[in-house]
Amino acid sequence: MNVNRLLRDFVSLFYPSYCYGCYGPLIKGEHLICSRCILSLPQTYFHLDPENSLKRRMFGRLPVAHALAFLRFTKSGRIQGLLHHLKYKNRPEIGVALGKVYASKILEAGFVPPFHVIVPVPLHPSRLRRRGYNQSAKFGEGLSDIFQIPVCEDILTRRIKTDTQTRKNKLERWENVAEVFEANTTAEIRDKHILLIDDVITTGATIDACGQALVRAGCSEISIAGIAVA
Ligand SMILES: [Zn+2]
């Protein structure tokens, strides 16, 4: 056993780490999220169903090759706890961990990712400065690590700071995001298959607006993935 590991085990005797899903203690070998939570999180299995409900939700708006989401969003419990820590409690590593777990499950199922580049939905620069990281990009980092596909944070920019979308109805949300995003035309996306990712996909309006910007910038195909779908 090496010294670092010995030291870490020693420190964890006094500062036991806990699971961000259920607040139970983590045992050796577990990281951020306990195995019980990982097993009990409600997964979509969209990667096994090419015509899943998220793909149908995007129909007639943004043509997507694959529509993926790790989890079904529920207002209470584990998922909300995890996402709350990821977004508001300075725990970017939760996004990376969820990306790694999800990408591993996708590969284990025999799905061969056809994507060239992972592009996260961007935050407005002022929000990015305040939070210090983009939670969707952190999810992308985890996916990138397992898929061995690069994640590019500088392709999409958010020009307008949108209001919090939770109080608006569906139509207002559409108008709100349609012209918000801009994509750089770069060699990184021209004629490439992009995996566009977000934290929680609700109406799909944000994903649609980002996707339209990427299409205008010359990508050949778009697939989408979320940590969770509501
Ligand atoms: Zn747990």
Side-chain angles (χ1 to χ4, degrees):
M1 183 182 277
N2 69 37
V3 177
N4 282 340
R5 187 135 147 236
L6 207 67
L7 191 68
R8 199 178 60 210
D9 287 351
F10 180 74
V11 169
S12 71
L13 278 176
F14 302 97
Y15 302 99
S17 40
Y18 64 91
C19 165
Y20 286 106
C22 67
Y23 302 104
L26 290 174
I27 58 167
K28 214 168 167 181
E30 292 176 340
H31 180 55
L32 303 168
I33 309 163
C34 75
S35 339
R36 264 209 338 258
C37 276
I38 288 177
L39 284 173
S40 66
L41 288 168
Q43 296 176 52
T44 68
Y45 298 103
F46 281 169
H47 55 288
L48 304 178
D49 176 12
E51 299 305 319
N52 61 64
S53 60
L54 179 58
K55 181 156 177 177
R56 290 200 303 274
R57 196 181 298 180
M58 300 311 293
F59 185 76
R61 295 151 71 183
L62 181 71
V64 295
H66 300 279
L68 306 170
F70 185 15
L71 306 168
R72 290 188 189 283
F73 183 78
T74 50
K75 266 277 184 228
S76 58
R78 294 184 162 96
I79 295 181
Q80 208 183 20
L82 287 169
L83 291 173
H84 183 76
H85 277 91
L86 170 61
K87 279 178 84 164
Y88 305 112
K89 297 284 180 184
N90 197 26
R91 288 281 169 245
E93 62 271 33
I94 291 173
V96 179
L98 288 169
K100 284 185 184 179
V101 172
Y102 187 36
S104 304
K105 285 178 184 289
I106 286 175
L107 292 185
E108 277 164 27
F111 182 98
V112 181
F115 326 117
H116 299 117
V117 186
I118 298 169
V119 175
V121 167
L123 298 177
H124 189 269
S126 68
R127 185 161 295 164
L128 180 62
R129 264 197 307 279
R130 207 167 51 237
R131 189 169 295 162
Y133 57 91
N134 174 352
Q135 69 278 2
S136 301
K138 291 292 161 184
F139 177 56
E141 256 179 61
L143 297 173
S144 164
D145 192 53
I146 304 297
F147 286 160
Q148 294 291 297
I149 296 166
V151 47
C152 288
E153 270 197 79
D154 54 0
I155 285 171
L156 277 177
T157 43
R158 189 185 284 255
R159 293 186 297 182
I160 303 159
K161 195 173 173 184
T162 49
D163 291 330
T164 173
Q165 298 215 331
T166 43
R167 284 190 301 266
K168 295 184 191 288
N169 68 33
K170 208 169 171 178
L171 187 69
E172 283 170 328
R173 286 190 193 196
W174 271 87
E175 290 166 350
N176 201 17
V177 292
E179 297 298 322
V180 171
F181 299 99
E182 198 171 36
N184 302 323
T185 308
T186 66
E188 280 161 307
I189 61 164
R190 181 156 289 284
D191 302 320
K192 298 281 169 60
H193 187 159
I194 309 285
L195 179 63
L196 174 62
I197 57 168
D198 203 357
D199 50 1
V200 181
I201 301 173
T202 49
T203 63
T206 304
I207 282 281
D208 181 38
C210 287
Q212 302 297 348
L214 290 168
V215 169
R216 285 196 296 271
C219 76
S220 66
E221 252 185 311
I222 295 179
S223 291
I224 60 174
I227 297 175
V229 64

